Amino acid sequence: MHKNEAIAIIEPLLTKQRFEHTLRVAETAVKLAKLNNVSIEKAEIASIFHDYCKYRSLEEMRRIIKTTYLPKDLLLYHHELWHGPVASFMIEQEYGVEDEAIKKAIYYHTTGRANMSDLELIVFVADYIEPGRSFPGLDEVRDMAQKDLVGAAWMVSRNTINYLMEKKNSIYPDTFHAYNDLTRLLNGGNKFGQ
Ligand SMILES: [Fe+2]
Ligand SMILES: [Fe+2]
């Protein structure tokens, strides 16, 4: 799929604000893809579709999680965590996007997970640092993203966990798995902590 086709699909489904966020995530992801020798086309398609299901009704997302291969424990957590996995399923259903690397980057863009591919790291980080965002501590992550994708992703997962704990929210296990895995990588371990 060409990026213009993907943009035409998502534009009517998103608010203006969310659509512009999506375009900025895509631009940021392309920059990170160039820096890290990752496919620009895949970074574009994954980031254009990352919030594809952001505005599906909760009932529809719940039904999709209940009736497909998606893990049922998602339903025990905040619905903000549902739109990534649901989008990963729906883009294949609705547009025949079968590329597992793209689907995983969309699936895990909110939580992260252990053993993320570079494409997954790029969408995870780009969603957090895109230029429209502004909150304390963000410049540190932006600077790190220019130098070290894993270091930037580690900061994103650390900040996300801190933020959720501060708000007394529950934390999906994949978010901890991402943090632990990235910490091991930064400390010189391999992806399985050996
Ligand atoms: Fe999202
Ligand atoms: Fe997003």
Side-chain angles (χ1 to χ4, degrees):
M1 183 182 298
H2 188 267
K3 77 167 190 173
N4 292 340
E5 194 187 334
I7 289 171
I9 290 168
I10 56 122
E11 184 170 13
L13 299 174
L14 303 178
T15 61
K16 185 170 181 289
Q17 211 180 14
R18 179 68 44 182
F19 176 64
E20 287 169 0
H21 156 74
T22 295
L23 295 182
R24 291 191 299 264
V25 174
E27 269 172 41
T28 307
V30 166
K31 285 183 192 158
L32 293 177
K34 284 178 183 162
L35 281 173
N36 293 282
N37 284 320
V38 167
S39 158
I40 289 170
E41 290 73 25
K42 289 191 187 202
E44 274 176 333
I45 296 297
S47 42
I48 291 167
F49 278 114
H50 84 282
D51 279 341
Y52 172 58
C53 288
K54 187 83 179 175
Y55 300 114
R56 298 273 168 146
S57 71
L58 294 184
E59 294 88 305
E60 187 182 3
M61 288 199 284
R62 196 177 284 116
R63 181 183 57 75
I64 291 165
I65 292 167
K66 277 186 178 165
T67 58
T68 63
Y69 59 77
L70 295 174
K72 310 306 166 225
D73 69 346
L74 283 168
L75 298 170
L76 302 173
Y77 291 84
H78 196 278
H79 56 76
E80 170 62 22
L81 302 185
W82 301 354
H83 71 285
V86 169
S88 154
F89 174 77
M90 291 308 279
I91 58 159
E92 179 163 7
Q93 283 287 112
E94 297 183 335
Y95 295 103
V97 177
E98 290 177 338
D99 187 304
E100 282 300 320
I102 291 174
K103 285 175 60 188
K104 283 200 165 68
I106 295 167
Y107 189 118
Y108 293 105
H109 81 266
T110 314
T111 58
R113 64 168 181 134
N115 205 20
M116 281 193 275
S117 69
D118 284 353
L119 182 65
E120 287 168 64
L121 293 172
I122 283 171
V123 178
F124 183 66
V125 170
D127 191 26
Y128 194 85
I129 66 168
E130 61 94 343
R133 298 228 196 250
S134 158
F135 44 82
L138 193 48
D139 285 344
E140 176 192 44
V141 189
R142 287 188 175 126
D143 290 346
M144 183 59 82
Q146 300 308 308
K147 296 180 292 206
D148 179 5
L149 183 61
V150 169
W154 179 84
M155 287 176 171
V156 174
S157 72
R158 175 202 61 187
N159 292 2
T160 301
I161 289 170
N162 280 338
Y163 173 80
L164 292 169
M165 288 181 76
E166 209 53 57
K167 287 190 21 172
K168 292 191 179 161
N169 283 359
S170 58
I171 299 173
Y172 194 67
D174 277 331
T175 305
F176 287 120
H177 295 324
Y179 174 81
N180 289 335
D181 188 48
L182 293 164
T183 300
R184 284 184 204 113
L185 279 177
L186 285 183
N187 289 337
N190 67 28
K191 286 195 173 183
F192 302 100
Q194 303 298 309

